[in-house]
Amino acid sequence: MHLERLTGVLGARLVDVDLRSLDEARVQELRAAICAHEVLVVPGQDLSPGDQTDFSHLMGPYSPVPFVQPVDGHPEVIRVVKEATESEAFNFGGVWHSDFSFLPAPPAFTVLHAIEVPDVGGDTVWASMTAAHDALDDATRERLDTVTAIHSASASYSPAQQGLHSQLSGMDIRTSDDALETERHPLLCTHPETGRRSLYFNGTYVRALEGPGFESEEGPNGEAAMMSWLHDWTTHIRFTFRHRWSAGDVVIWDNRSTQHVALNDYGGQRREMTRTTVAGSAPAA
Ligand code: SIN
């Protein structure tokens, strides 16, 4: 398997592979490469929604997608699309997040396939939460190890957000009160396949912190200050990899150890992706 690293932190490119014809040994190599490099770019693919579903199944069972309606006839595939006429619209995935971290068992992997890309702009950026963890000083790591993060989709998919989602004519996103549910995950997690630790935080779905010292939201060490610090730390540019898309790219990333953001800088141009997600397990300390 010919892998090329794309930064000194995370991201690798795999060439000369057709994701429609992988044998079991190749699938295992691919999976190990994604876990090791956290984001894997596989250019030059031509996957129909059915092919993308089949490929995702090689990585593991389907992870159900809440709130976003799937592509007709392909219940496991969603289309991420913004029309050229929707310059002012919100960008799906346009704030730092880890996919569906508010679920009891968030997806392990996401597979995103570029169907149509803007001439300029529309890149995606990932941050390694493993690197963010490893760069912590000992005292901070010990403190964070006692913290539980409360995840919820309330700021993204509760009915108050319906107007935002309805700006995207090519996506059918149905908000609901289910978004108000919360899920508790340790802030420092151990990756179930690599054993590496990471800082499992994202400012979109982590809505509160529990642990010693967070009795008050206020003050320089309170919950609000810590949430803001965690966001700045985990998305610092030194932990990131930015991908400039070409049509046909497939990017597969590990949600357990990364966050990502889709940049909304391609006004007047169309961008279309198809996305599948692969089941994961409950994050564990
Ligand atoms: C997502 O957050 O899943 C979408 C990312 C992108 O469109 O680049």
Side-chain angles (χ1 to χ4, degrees):
M1 201 175 252
H2 181 67
L3 277 176
E4 226 175 84
R5 291 178 73 195
L6 296 169
T7 74
V9 181
L10 78 166
R13 179 169 28 230
L14 175 64
V15 290
D16 295 333
V17 70
D18 182 345
L19 296 179
R20 293 172 302 189
S21 54
L22 294 174
D23 61 25
E24 183 53 31
R26 270 288 166 121
V27 172
Q28 291 317 323
E29 271 183 84
L30 190 80
R31 188 181 185 99
I34 300 162
C35 292
H37 296 283
E38 303 186 309
V39 181
L40 191 69
V41 177
V42 191
Q45 305 301 305
D46 181 15
L47 303 185
S48 66
D51 294 333
Q52 189 168 342
T53 304
D54 291 345
F55 167 68
S56 293
H57 288 172
L58 296 176
M59 302 288 298
Y62 162 60
S63 181
V65 175
F67 310 115
V68 187
Q69 298 307 301
V71 169
D72 279 348
H74 297 280
E76 301 184 15
V77 182
I78 64 165
R79 185 166 277 124
V80 177
V81 58
K82 189 143 94 91
E83 301 297 341
T85 51
E86 294 171 349
S87 302
E88 299 305 315
F90 143 90
N91 214 28
F92 182 82
V95 280
W96 281 103
H97 65 287
S98 174
D99 287 334
F100 304 144
S101 69
F102 51 85
L103 294 175
F109 304 110
T110 298
V111 181
L112 194 64
H113 184 25
I115 306 299
E116 184 175 345
V117 298
D119 289 338
V120 287
D123 297 1
T124 307
V125 187
W126 287 264
S128 168
M129 296 196 279
T130 314
H133 168 272
D134 291 351
L136 293 170
D137 62 60
D138 290 345
T140 309
R141 189 178 306 120
E142 274 169 36
R143 179 170 187 218
L144 297 185
D145 222 356
T146 62
V147 177
T148 298
I150 314 300
H151 296 241
S152 162
S154 59
S156 310
Y157 293 112
S158 65
Q161 272 77 45
Q162 187 61 55
L164 200 63
H165 295 298
S166 298
Q167 295 170 356
L168 296 172
S169 60
M171 296 185 72
D172 183 359
I173 300 175
R174 301 182 194 170
T175 58
S176 102
D177 283 336
D178 292 350
L180 304 176
E181 286 171 18
T182 57
E183 199 59 48
R184 305 165 84 252
H185 297 308
L187 187 59
L188 300 192
C189 290
T190 302
H191 193 286
E193 298 184 59
T194 64
R196 295 180 70 189
R197 299 205 85 203
S198 71
L199 217 175
Y200 193 58
F201 177 86
N202 69 87
T204 299
Y205 298 134
V206 175
R207 307 310 304 162
L209 302 173
E210 269 178 18
F214 300 125
E215 292 75 19
S216 159
E217 216 192 271
E218 307 303 326
N221 294 312
E223 184 190 31
M226 181 56 94
M227 296 266 284
S228 167
W229 183 84
L230 282 167
H231 171 74
D232 292 348
W233 179 264
T234 58
T235 59
H236 193 279
I237 196 162
R238 72 185 155 136
F239 304 134
T240 64
F241 156 63
R242 176 170 175 160
H243 182 59
R244 163 93 204 105
W245 291 93
S246 296
D249 286 348
V250 169
V251 177
I252 311 153
W253 65 87
D254 192 330
N255 278 299
R256 299 164 294 188
S257 64
T258 60
Q259 303 179 47
H260 59 281
V261 60
L263 301 186
N264 194 6
D265 58 356
Y266 54 100
Q269 305 169 83
R270 188 172 191 276
R271 182 179 187 273
E272 178 182 349
M273 308 276 176
T274 47
R275 194 184 100 161
T276 45
T277 33
V278 177
S281 50

